[in-house]
Amino acid sequence: MTLWNGSYPFYPGANACFPFDTTRAAIITVFLSMLATFIIILPGIRGRGRLFWFLRLVMGLFVGAVVLTIQFTRDWQTGWVQANTSYKSFSSAVVNVDIGLHIGLEGVNITLKGNPVNQINETINYNEHFSWSFDANYDRSYSEGLQKGLPSPILYVAEKFTTQSPCAVHRQYRISGHYASATLWLAFCSWLISILLFSMSLLLHGGYMLLLTATLILFSLLFFTTTNIPKCPIQFGPVSLKTVYGESFWLTLVTGLLCLLLGLGIIILNSLQPEKLKLIFNLDKRKGAEKVWDKPCLPANPSHSVLMVPLGELCEVTATQL
């Protein structure tokens, strides 16, 4: 038995996978709190307008939450592979691990989990993030990983995205991620404007802003797909790590198509059947006014001889001189 049980006390431990993304959890919590608050006041809305109001609320909050959340997700592209590979440099130890690659708009996450987790007297459960955002230096993060002595599979995958790598994918991912992020921020602003226009009963202009939101969301996908170019193979013996579009990509596509359908639906209804559109937005006030005029007007006091009639039934009266 050796001192410190065969390990060095000044070496950092494994950066284990955190159970959830705190930024995503905070955004979802805020939007769910808003939804719960509006549900509390839902019983105060009478008639079938309650259903339309609830549907508008859910769809509006869903679009806003998705557009804001996908800015910080790291699963626009994902890939997993199980392989038998060396664990550390200059070591003959071979471990069986699951290696995951998760690409987002601001960087990559590389995960390494052993099968089983405890092998060669170590806990193999890593989750390392390498950022290429404006205020970060990817190559420096990679150098820090080398200094910390990260496992060889993580360093091998991270090296593929460095600026000095012959794969030459760092620039494409970094620029496309920045453009996609900026476009999504514009989409979030246009969504806020559409909500404001709908609250001011400017339905047609709100529909136009929804179309703009959909266009910006779909353009963000177009910017990100420009990275779909031939890449260097990430090989681990006989198997290779390949990536596919992840949940964030498909969720963004669904949200963009939803905004497109809603915007077109509002514009078409406003042109063909504006009364139904007003009914959906609880703006059909004319029917209530017509019901008031259709009621017979009776005098408050039967003893009075004044006859009250609707204005539509007034006619010319000829006076006869006594």
Side-chain angles (χ1 to χ4, degrees):
M1 185 172 181
T2 60
L3 185 63
W4 305 110
N5 198 20
S7 64
Y8 297 96
F10 49 83
Y11 264 43
N15 186 12
C17 300
F18 202 65
F20 57 86
D21 187 353
T22 54
T23 303
R24 186 188 306 183
I27 295 173
I28 293 176
T29 301
V30 170
F31 277 88
L32 287 179
S33 301
M34 296 173 60
L35 178 61
T37 303
F38 286 116
I39 288 178
I40 293 175
I41 65 175
L42 185 62
I45 302 176
R46 299 179 180 179
R48 57 183 176 180
R50 178 187 305 173
L51 177 61
F52 292 136
W53 186 84
F54 181 74
L55 291 177
R56 296 199 313 270
L57 172 67
V58 171
M59 281 191 262
L61 291 179
F62 172 78
V63 172
V66 169
V67 174
L68 189 59
T69 303
I70 56 180
Q71 289 274 4
F72 309 100
T73 55
R74 298 170 182 176
D75 56 352
W76 281 70
Q77 277 186 333
T78 59
W80 284 94
V81 68
Q82 184 177 358
N84 293 316
T85 181
S86 61
Y87 182 59
K88 294 283 187 178
S89 299
F90 309 105
S91 174
S92 59
V94 177
V95 293
N96 183 269
V97 291
D98 288 327
I99 306 167
L101 174 62
H102 313 277
I103 303 175
L105 300 181
E106 296 183 350
V108 297
N109 262 58
I110 304 173
T111 58
L112 182 70
K113 188 173 182 180
N115 294 311
V117 176
N118 296 315
Q119 298 182 51
I120 58 173
N121 296 325
E122 288 195 31
T123 300
I124 305 176
N125 190 14
Y126 289 82
N127 179 21
E128 296 294 331
H129 179 66
F130 300 89
S131 176
W132 52 53
S133 59
F134 281 118
D135 57 347
N137 189 321
Y138 186 93
D139 291 344
R140 184 173 60 188
S141 300
Y142 175 73
S143 300
E144 292 174 353
L146 287 173
Q147 296 174 5
K148 288 192 300 183
L150 292 177
S152 296
I154 294 180
L155 295 175
Y156 170 68
V157 176
E159 189 272 337
K160 298 291 184 180
F161 295 89
T162 58
T163 57
Q164 305 300 325
S165 173
C167 297
V169 296
H170 175 84
R171 178 180 174 83
Q172 286 84 352
Y173 271 109
R174 185 172 184 267
I175 294 178
S176 62
H178 290 165
Y179 276 107
S181 178
T183 308
L184 286 173
W185 280 118
L186 291 176
F188 183 75
C189 294
S190 64
W191 169 79
L192 288 176
I193 296 175
S194 68
I195 296 297
L196 179 62
L197 292 174
F198 287 138
S199 64
M200 297 172 61
S201 303
L202 300 175
L203 307 183
L204 182 59
H205 296 82
Y208 288 146
M209 292 307 299
L210 269 183
L211 280 183
L212 178 60
T213 303
T215 303
L216 292 171
I217 292 175
L218 297 177
F219 262 101
S220 69
L221 295 176
L222 181 62
F223 287 135
F224 186 77
T225 53
T226 57
T227 60
N228 192 16
I229 58 176
K231 307 176 182 66
C232 294
I234 304 177
Q235 200 76 22
F236 293 94
V239 296
S240 60
L241 176 60
K242 299 180 180 179
T243 59
V244 295
Y245 291 123
E247 295 179 0
S248 294
F249 180 89
W250 298 114
L251 184 60
T252 305
L253 178 61
V254 170
T255 305
L257 295 178
L258 176 63
C259 291
L260 181 64
L261 292 177
L262 291 176
L264 289 176
I266 290 174
I267 295 174
I268 293 174
L269 278 179
N270 185 80
S271 301
L272 301 179
Q273 296 179 338
E275 296 302 325
K276 288 187 177 180
L277 181 62
K278 293 180 179 178
L279 179 62
I280 294 175
F281 283 87
N282 298 336
L283 299 177
D284 197 9
K285 306 293 185 181
R286 193 174 66 178
K287 290 185 177 180
E290 290 177 353
K291 290 181 180 180
V292 173
W293 283 107
D294 289 342
K295 293 182 179 180
C297 299
L298 299 176
N301 191 347
S303 61
H304 293 173
S305 59
V306 180
L307 179 62
M308 300 181 66
V309 296
L311 292 176
E313 297 179 6
L314 291 178
C315 56
E316 184 179 358
V317 179
T318 305
T320 304
Q321 186 176 2
L322 296 178

